[in-house]
Amino acid sequence: MNNSVFRFAVPENEPVHDFAPGSPSRALLKQELERMSGTVVDIPLIIGGREIRTGKLTNVVMPSDHWSALSWVERASVMLKAAELLSKRYRYAINAATMLGQGKNAYQAEIDAACEVIDFLRYNVYYASQIYKDQPNSPLDHLNRLEYRPLEGFVFTVSPFNFTAISSNLNTAVALMGNTTVWKPATTSLLSSYVLMQVFMEAGVPPGVINFVPGSGRMISEIVLSHPMFAGLHFTGSNATFNALWQAIAANLPKYRSYPRIVGETGGKGFVFVHASADPQEVATALVRGGFEYQGQKCSAASRAYIPASMWPEVQRLVGGMLGRIKVGDVRDFSNFVNAVIDEASFTNIMSYIDRAKASPDAQIVFGGTGDKSKGYFVQPTVIKVTNPKFLTMEEEIFGPVLTIYVYDAAKYEETLRVCDQTSPYALTGAVFSKDRYAYVEACRILRYAAGNFYINDKPTGAMVGMQPFGGARGSGTNDKAGGPLNLLRWISPRTIKETFAPARDFEYPFLREA
Ligand code: NAD
């Protein structure tokens, strides 16, 4: 079993079910939603494979070494099995948990919880096989090897509420490379995280390799980050949380056996920059999908747009027409495009931005501007138009269905591109719409550092594994590109081994001789 070199083929992306009326996938998903919404789930901690329900925190156990000693092909096989289980047996369970727990509609759940989770698992196996086969040159007199060791210690994984795929990948990318993780899932996505954890165990992830520790982030991180064997942080979430974790790591640095790897993907302020040559219908569609799908709760969401004055009336009319057709409500009613935001704190935060816009002479509410939390945390898709391009809703991440528009003078294209570049601390996603190639090449140049994922004539959301590796720099994180080999490289600490066949027997070199 161990003496073969495995090559895993480039995978295909998991096909997306469309849940069209009358389709089997629609019936199966509705059935699972019915079952799951009538069930109360008791979610334990799972540490070293044991379920713990004390309600109190335990010390984090040091997981076993056996996992890293396994041939990596065995680990790959476990990951491929998890992908297959999610693709077939648990597809509706993971989708229903993501719909009910995180408020995603059927399509948003399908592209995240089923397809992207599966794509991460399959593509990472392929990328790992590319990494492991890369070996240094060896001349005739000695042999050079690179041993791709996992990190010496465990990796702390802290996941956000908004993507089931991220919760999965933060752990499985690290575990595939031979490491063990202590996973702190977001409380607001616990249901889907628990389904994932059960699938990992069924796929054969051994006890102690991924340890599931829900609870207070502050309390858990205090214990985890002061452990000498803490070897890495794989984080996705807000900028403020990442900064707090990095500062805690810095304060604990003398305690650690190794310098920890720190990988964090944080907030965004996705922009759509429209050149006067663009098609208004395409622009309006990108704004509505990019801004309001999953209630704007995507780090990549379109949350600010720059539109030439000549085009604004037409874009406004088209966006208004689309918003007039959008229904807001429960995920179990498949006709709702927009659903509830994640919790009351988020609802209050989003409404406070809308209220500040209402109160400012620099801003005008063009569409929406209302919210209702009596039955669920529903915020109407909101478009704000500002006269100050640095108004706070152009700068700060709101993480809700709020899009701010700055209407610019088309003659000031380059100047306004520079304003866009310098407006927000984030640099995650951005898009330019233009039919003029020179114009978007110019945008690419001026906005070079404004986005880690840059789109031409497309909305800034919807990155796919294997196609658009994802991540941004500046305030948006360490840009280690989840869904690609660059991320996997962070979870190994290679050892170079040189073996000399006929070692030298005298210290003298020829240059020392007189003649
Ligand atoms: P969050 O920062 O509030 O929480 C993220 C995780 O950190 C959760 O598990 C939370 O419980 C934990 N946490 C919070 N405070 C902590 C502390 N003091 N110590 C340890 N852990 C702590 O983020 P969120 O609301 O879950 O997610 C939304 C954020 O995530 C947005 O800013 C969004 O842009 C970002 N995000 C970024 C990407 C990306 O790829 N760049 C992807 C998804 C989400």
Side-chain angles (χ1 to χ4, degrees), residues 156-163 166 183-189 215-222 225 233 235-242 244-245 264-269 296-301 342-343 346 397 399 426 428 470-472 475-477 482:
F156 186 32
T157 56
V158 182
S159 54
F161 79 84
N162 65 335
F163 276 96
I166 293 175
W183 175 19
K184 211 305 277 173
T187 310
T188 34
S189 61
S216 152
R218 202 178 294 269
M219 232 198 300
I220 293 164
S221 61
E222 213 175 291
L225 297 180
L233 171 69
F235 174 85
T236 303
S238 66
N239 186 266
T241 307
F242 188 46
L245 291 171
E265 295 302 333
T266 62
K269 191 71 193 170
Q297 298 171 119
K298 298 187 184 189
C299 46
S300 54
I342 192 70
D343 58 15
S346 178
E397 184 178 49
F399 227 56
Y426 298 109
L428 190 57
F470 192 77
S476 291

Side-chain angles (χ1 to χ4, degrees), residues 115-125 165-166 169 465 482-483:
C115 299
E116 196 174 355
V117 171
I118 295 165
D119 287 350
F120 271 133
L121 288 162
R122 291 184 178 147
Y123 272 93
N124 279 342
V125 165
I166 293 175
N169 187 59
V465 179

Side-chain angles (χ1 to χ4, degrees), residues 16 92 118 144-145 154 169 175 208 246 260 271 278 280-281 286 294 308 356 365 407 422 478 505:
V16 178
Y92 299 102
I118 295 165
N144 295 314
R145 279 174 270 181
F154 67 89
N169 187 59
W246 195 315
F271 57 83
Q281 181 76 33
Y294 191 37
R356 275 178 278 175
I365 307 284
V407 176
Q422 286 151 24
T478 55
R505 298 174 68 86

